[in-house]
């Protein structure tokens, strides 16, 4: 049992345990919180699996609804910290013992009906103290519609009951306030207006009472086409006989409506765009949605998701995540898993484990000691896992604010859309802020027609506003963006100049249009600034902290930044949200719109902005947040030393994850702060690694030269890397000199010396110094072994194994390749396992052990597919096909060779295309189709040309075999095969009889 748990469904959904709110992010996504709300409205009753499933997955049920519900229940129990929060029953679940504000609210209303006026008033007041918008997160959900309607009716009943009780106990002022709330909730309900008129008359405001009755009469005639009831007419006549003139509706007694928030306006003016987007998604296309800030992109995406009739995977990028690896990807993958948790079970174990690091709130972290993975391998697994999850979800992708997406997430998005040509997507962005090449990959793979959102026209505004003059004011005074229109309406509603009736806004004051013009001329940013300016001291700091965060930030982080009480901060955040300035997302609090953040931040003076950035930087650092976020806030606080250090940590972290574009951007940002000493050297070194990965050899070399400072061992490491950069198209002799300097500076440090020796050995081999290269390679191997550096040992042995294999010493090479594969696997560098494992299988085929070779190539191919490595797939398929041919399984051999050929051609990889033709030729040769085999070997030789000598030698040797078998002259082919390539290429050359 969980007696300390309380659920709040009225207003923002909250779960409290022992008085403290459970952070929304702890639940791991919206589905868990939705499930808890469904359980909560059933007041402890058992809710069957099918009812819960229909509420959570209305468009498409997952393959195993009970299994998915079990996953969500476990997350809910873990988030709340008590298994008794949700009880398991026969065929369903129920909420454990706890309190629910909806139950308390309805209980107070029911109890008030059977008591006298004094006690009834207390009960109604207790109910109304709990009131807030019911289930606002589920405003469009079918399951919540009846619940929301029932609660709203109960709210009106409570307001009217409180008004009657207040009149009965002689408190007409209170009665007027309660009745006004009832009228605001349901403007066409006669009983509420009658109570309000009676209360206003009782406090002496008969003019206000008559005005209310007249407003009701006009509304009934316009909206329903009916006349007021006899009770309304009778009361008006009685009040009018008092001889008091009737003022305009703008007179005293008018108050701000307490009904629907202004931000929840009707969706108007985008029907054509909505239809075109639906059609595009239905046809499996990708569409760009362009528009400036406030143009309505987010609302259009929300309406598209609501009305599409199928599940969607939706995500939003944030400015603060631009250099944070996998920021947008987390949102998309979280949504994909929420559609069907069972798809996680279809993932290979390694992929699932890698995703658990990215989504720890959704996927259980593997038990036992963590598996250490090389950064490139981890990135490959995450890309492969993301591809599999989004493909398995099979839902359209809706992405908002793509201009702020991080490069890793863009890579995932581009890979998914390219690899799944029928997956539909809408990508929304601000065209003025998106990088020119950010969409190139998607355009190349799928095309990207762009729909640009235009301003709302008068026809659209007429569906939103029930007054021609007000429509003209909005058309002439604003830029027509939905955000600008809503800001004007928000300002009018705050002053009581408009009220929403039947989904349309109607003036309640004769000067509403003029007032709208004033607000429009002031501009939407000024409207936001005016609202924000109403808040002072801690409230102002809270709003500003969320604004400068630039992303969803947990309430606990905000509270820690201010050194404030968590519950007090939550109450203040909720009040700011009620005023349309903030919103609560899956992972924390954010501004209600980007324009709110931009306006609030622009309104801060420099000193105040720096102070708040500093507070947030320290809070984020204490929470071990992403170092790129910490760095940004330190920089904006003016603490350049702390910022540069944080940027260095962030760049190192990005490189560890093989997120090289993010690493380059972070190192750039740190170096712009002009740090000195070790921090500057580290930033140059990290940028060099990132630049080298992108082919910018000159830039990388320049950075490494700038980093040649600090301790000798650091200089040695950087010199060794500079030498490798300089060894290719640059001067190999100069590179060798750098390697020699690296050896000197390494001194007795074993790690630095091992790297310098490895580098020097490679350069010696390239310069023809084979004996010294072998000696240095052996010294490096010994040092790496002593250091326990598995990757270093594997690199040395990998080069030695390939050299041995190419020299024709196959048995020795097979043994070395096995050790190399195991070493790479043990060090977590799984991407490098594929090549030695598959090559070992190829060697076993040469040794006449095809079944063993097939087992090795099968393992390599499984790993390549798991890592989503096309190069690895092409390589392993080539070797697997040859093993299958040697085992006599020619049909499988041909199919595998054709797969290798398809993948290699798609990659544009000349070497693997040549070997795929070789494998296909061997399969056909084994079957007896010598003409077909000859064509394949000929094509293999043509693709290999003179530069890929091993493959050219193999092609000539196999063509010679065919010629011998067909009784043709083969000496020229044999001569070519012997004249090129290493000894391995000569093993298949046939022996010719003297007559030939």
């Amino acid at each position: 049992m969980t007696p300390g748990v309380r659920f709040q469904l009225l207003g923002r959904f909250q779960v409290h345990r022992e008085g403290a709110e459970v952070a929304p992010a702890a639940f791991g996504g919206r589905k868990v919180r939705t499930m808890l709300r469904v359980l909560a409205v059933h007041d402890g009753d058992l809710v069957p699996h099918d009812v819960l499933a229909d509420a959570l997955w209305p468009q498409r049920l997952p393959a195993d609804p009970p299994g998915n519900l079990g996953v969500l229940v476990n997350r809910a129990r873990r988030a709340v910290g008590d298994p008794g929060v949700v009880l398991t029953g026969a065929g369903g679940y129920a909420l454990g013992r706890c309190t629910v504000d909806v139950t308390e609210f309805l209980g107070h209303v029911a109890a008030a009906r059977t008591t006298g006026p004094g006690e009834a008033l207390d009960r109604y007041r207790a109910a109304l103290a709990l009131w807030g918008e019911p289930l606002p997160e589920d405003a469009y959900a079918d399951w919540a519609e009846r619940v929301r309607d029932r609660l709203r009716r109960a709210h009106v009943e409570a307001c009217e009951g409180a008004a009657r009780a207040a009149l009965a106990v002689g408190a007409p002022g209170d009665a007027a306030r309660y009745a006004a709330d009832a009228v605001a909730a349901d403007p066409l309900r006669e009983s509420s207006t009658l109570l309000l008129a009676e209360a206003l008359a009782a406090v002496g405001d008969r003019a206000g009472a008559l005005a209310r009755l007249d407003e009701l009469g006009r509304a009934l005639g316009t909206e329903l086409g009916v006349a007021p009831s006899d009770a309304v007419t009778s009361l008006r006549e009685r009040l009018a006989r008092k001889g008091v003139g009737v003022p305009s509706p703008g007179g005293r007694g008018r108050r701000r409506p307490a009904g629907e928030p202004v931000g929840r306006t009707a969706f108007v003016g985008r029907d054509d765009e909505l239809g075109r987007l639906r059609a595009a998604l239905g046809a499996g296309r990708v569409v760009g949605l362009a528009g400036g800030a406030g143009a309505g992109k987010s609302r259009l995406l929300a309406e598209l998701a609501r009305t599409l009739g199928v599940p969607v995977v939706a995500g939003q990028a944030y400015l603060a995540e631009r250099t944070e690896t996998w920021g947008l990807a987390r949102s998309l993958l979280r949504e994909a898993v929420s559609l069907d948790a069972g798809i996680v079970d279809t993932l290979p174990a390694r992929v699932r484990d890698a995703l658990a690091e990215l989504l720890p709130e959704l996927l259980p972290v593997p038990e036992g000691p963590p598996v250490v993975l090389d950064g490139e391998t981890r990135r490959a697994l995450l890309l492969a896992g993301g591809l599999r999850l989004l493909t398995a979800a099979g839902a359209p992708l809706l992405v908002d604010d793509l201009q702020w997406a991080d490069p890793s997430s863009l890579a995932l998005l581009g890979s998914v859309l390219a690899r799944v040509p029928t997956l539909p997507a809408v990508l929304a962005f601000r065209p003025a802020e998106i990088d020119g090449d950010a969409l190139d990959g998607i355009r190349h793979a799928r095309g990207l027609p762009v729909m640009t959102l235009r301003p709302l026209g008068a026809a659209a505004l007429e569906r939103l506003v029930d007054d021609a003059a007000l429509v003209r004011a909005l058309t002439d005074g604003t830029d027509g963006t939905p955000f600008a229109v809503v800001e004007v309406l928000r300002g009018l509603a705050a002053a009581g100049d408009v009220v929403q009736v039947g989904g349309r806004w109607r003036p309640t004051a004769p000067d509403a249009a003029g007032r709208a013009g004033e607000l429009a001329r002031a501009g939407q940013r000024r409207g936001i600034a005016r609202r924000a300016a109403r808040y002072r001291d801690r409230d102002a700091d809270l709003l500003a902290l969320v604004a400068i965060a630039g992303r969803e930030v947990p309430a606990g982080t905000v509270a820690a930044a201010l050194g404030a009480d968590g519950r007090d901060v939550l109450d203040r955040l909720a009040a700011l949200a009620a005023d349309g300035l903030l919103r609560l997302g899956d992972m924390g609090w954010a501004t209600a719109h980007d324009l709110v953040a931009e306006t609030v931040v622009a309104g801060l003076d420099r000193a105040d902005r720096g102070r708040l950035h500093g507070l947030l930087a320290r809070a984020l650092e204490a929470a071990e947040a992403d170092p790129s976020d910490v760095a940004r806030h330190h920089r904006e606080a003016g603490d350049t030393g702390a910022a540069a250090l944080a940027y260095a940590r962030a760049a190192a972290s990005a490189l560890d994850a093989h997120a090289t574009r993010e690493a380059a951007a972070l190192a750039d940002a740190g170096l712009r702060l002009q740090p000195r000493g070790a921090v500057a050297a580290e930033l140059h070194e990290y940028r060099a690694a990132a630049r080298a990965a992108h082919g910018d050899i000159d830039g990388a070399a320049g950075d490494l030269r700038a980093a040649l400072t600090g301790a000798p061992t650091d200089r040695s490491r950087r010199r060794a890397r500079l030498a490798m950069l300089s060894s290719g198209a640059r001067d190999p002799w100069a590179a060798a000199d750098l390697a020699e300097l690296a050896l000197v500076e390494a001194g007795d440090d074993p790690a630095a010396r091992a790297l310098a020796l490895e580098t020097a050995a490679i350069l010696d081999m390239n310069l023809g110094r084979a004996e010294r290269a072998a000696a240095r390679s052996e010294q490096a191997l010994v040092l790496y072994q002593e250091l326990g550096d598995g990757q270093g040992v594997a690199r040395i042995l990998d080069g030695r194994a390939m050299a041995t294999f190419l020299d024709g010493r196959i048995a020795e090479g097979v043994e070395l390749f096995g050790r190399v594969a195991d070493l790479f696997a043990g060090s977590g560098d799984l991407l490098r396992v594929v090549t030695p494992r598959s090559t070992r299988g190829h060697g076993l085929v040469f040794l006449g052990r095809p079944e063993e070779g097939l087992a090795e190539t099968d393992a390599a191919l499984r790993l390549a597919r798991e890592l989503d490595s096309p190069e690895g797939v092409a390589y392993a398929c080539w070797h697997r096909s040859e093993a299958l041919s040697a085992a006599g399984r020619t049909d499988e051999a041909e199919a595998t060779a054709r797969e290798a050929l398809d993948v290699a051609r798609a990659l544009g990889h000349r070497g693997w295309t040549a070997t795929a033709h070789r494998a296909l030729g061997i399969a056909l040769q084994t079957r007896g189709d010598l003409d077909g085999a000859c064509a394949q070997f000929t094509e293999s030789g043509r693709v290999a040309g003179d530069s890929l000598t091993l493959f050219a030698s193999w092609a000539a040797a196999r063509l010679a075999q065919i010629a011998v078998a067909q009784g043709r002259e083969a000496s020229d082919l044999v001569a070519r095969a012997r004249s090129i390539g290493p000894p391995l290429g000569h093993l298949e050359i046939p022996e010719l009889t003297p007559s030939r």
Side-chain angles (χ1 to χ4, degrees), residues 148-287:
R148 283 163 56 84
D149 287 345
R150 175 166 63 96
L151 290 170
R152 283 173 169 160
R153 289 195 301 271
H155 173 237
V156 173
E157 178 190 343
C159 291
E160 288 186 349
R164 289 193 193 93
L167 283 172
V169 300
D174 289 346
R177 287 194 295 274
Y178 294 132
D181 286 341
V183 170
D186 190 350
L188 299 180
R189 185 179 171 96
E190 288 191 347
S191 58
S192 298
T193 302
L194 284 168
L195 276 167
L196 177 57
E198 290 176 8
L200 290 173
V203 296
D205 187 7
R206 279 177 288 201
L210 285 167
R212 289 301 187 183
L213 292 172
D214 288 344
E215 285 177 12
L216 175 64
R218 287 193 297 271
L220 288 171
T222 302
E223 298 291 326
L224 304 179
V226 299
S229 67
D230 291 343
V232 173
T233 302
S234 174
L235 178 58
R236 193 194 186 289
E237 289 175 353
R238 283 191 287 113
L239 292 174
R241 282 198 296 272
K242 301 293 184 179
V244 179
V246 180
S248 71
R252 66 193 179 96
R254 183 164 54 89
R255 63 190 299 277
R256 178 180 176 181
E260 193 81 358
V262 178
R264 203 181 294 281
T265 57
F267 178 79
V268 298
R270 302 293 191 208
D271 293 334
D272 178 59
E273 291 90 339
L274 186 61
R276 287 159 58 196
L277 290 177
R278 281 184 189 143
L281 293 180
R285 295 200 297 272
V286 179
V287 180

Side-chain angles (χ1 to χ4, degrees), residues 387-412:
L387 172 66
R388 284 178 165 91
L389 283 181
L390 294 175
T391 303
L397 303 180
L398 305 184
V399 179
D400 200 5
D401 285 325
L402 189 70
Q403 73 276 358
W404 293 328
D406 59 280
S408 293
S409 295
L410 284 173
L412 172 61

Side-chain angles (χ1 to χ4, degrees), residues 48 97 436 490 721 738 754 951:
R97 192 170 66 188
R490 187 188 301 278
R721 290 173 179 167
L738 286 171
F951 305 151

